Amino acid sequence: MTRTKDGRIEFTRAMRKTYKILFPNMCEIHFRILRNVFLNAGYDIELLTDSGQQVVDEGLKYVHNDTCYPALLTIGQMITALKSGRYDVNRVALMMSQTGGGCRASNYIHLLRKALEKAGFGQVPVISVNLSGLERNSGFTITLGLLRRAMGALIYGDLMMLLRNQTRPYEANPGQTDALVARWVEDISAMMRRGKGISAKAIRANLNAIVADFEALPLRPVRKTKVGVVGEIYAKYCPLANNNLEDFLAQQDCEVMVPALFGFFLFKVDNRLEDIKLYGGSRLKFAFVSWLYNFLEKMEGYLVDALSASSRYHTPARYRHVKELAGQLIGYGCKMGEGWFLTGEMLELIESGYGNIVCAQPFGCLPNHIVGKGMIRPIRERYPDANIVAVDYDASATRVNQENRIKLMLSMARN
């Protein structure tokens, strides 16, 4: 077992050959495809799907309740998995992302290591996935090839999520939408396992084919209440964190619009560019970040082009437009957590006809309370018909109270 200078256990090249890597789920479609990107790169990856009160209870044992709720859940999910008996705890590693920003998410990994020591799993290495050079492991490297494939997986996931959410509420034959998503997830995953489907030509062809298949599904001519979902990234996308918010809204006869995940990555890379411009940095770093930003914009363009060719589906605005909208109400220096981007997403949803919005926030997440709940008043001053409810998610928050607040918002939408 190799320890680094700062005392953490390194994930070594030797471990890469024999260790299984576990990582927490967030976006089901995206991460199922992303797993196959790592498999193709030679990593034995498994996506954790443990859920329920047991995960919350495990998190509460090792993470203070005042700490960010997503940290409590992801750490609880990982420790639940280690205690399950499904894995050899001496041949398993955990993987967690670090954004490198001012959000507490950059410190989840330290909370996780502390929790592992308390739970008796101090020998388990933790891999940091980041582009900021925060931690390095000889057995895990983010290469340009891996990064390109990962971004391809996310753009596929975004398209299928957007199409599913705009199709399932209206499908004439219940279950067809989910079946089509499952088939395409498997098809794309099979391509990824073979190292295919990631060239620009292949991505554009696959995106167009996916849209064509969804357009072929028969729909019912019914009206639904359109609801957008924004918020802290984990609370917005992960059913474990938001008490299956999308399913609840579907039960309330709604069409749900959850913005594409890809915009958040553009936001984070854009912030790096602004930091270098303001505070300095090497030319090499600026050149790489500029290349990455341009690459992500090109990928975003593939998604927009595929949806724009369809007369059935709504095409979300590009990142640049979301940034322009946000700049009308909030400064770009407000970038902790989801920063001004969260405000921009609300404005873009309103502009697109999804003026009923649920803002999902972990209780105690100060940045997102500012750019989410704190921006509701100025948004309503500009858009009087905007119908926004901020809902706090926490281990101590009751599901009944959360759902009642959403039902009140929906009653206002319908009246």
Side-chain angles (χ1 to χ4, degrees), residues 273 276 281-294:
L273 284 175
I276 296 171
S282 71
R283 292 183 179 180
L284 182 60
K285 181 179 180 181
F286 186 79
F288 170 73
V289 178
S290 298
W291 170 85
L292 181 58
Y293 179 84
N294 292 331

Side-chain angles (χ1 to χ4, degrees), residues 229-238 242 246 258-260 341 345 360:
V229 176
V230 299
E232 187 272 337
I233 188 169
Y234 190 76
K236 175 169 62 173
Y237 290 111
C238 186
N242 59 36
E246 289 186 55
V258 185
F341 183 64
E345 284 191 320

Side-chain angles (χ1 to χ4, degrees), residues 23-28 31-32 47-49 74 77 234 238:
F23 74 111
N25 194 9
M26 185 176 73
C27 303
E28 181 185 3
F31 280 29
R32 283 167 62 191
L47 179 64
L48 295 177
T49 57
T74 52
Q77 191 177 55
Y234 190 76
C238 186

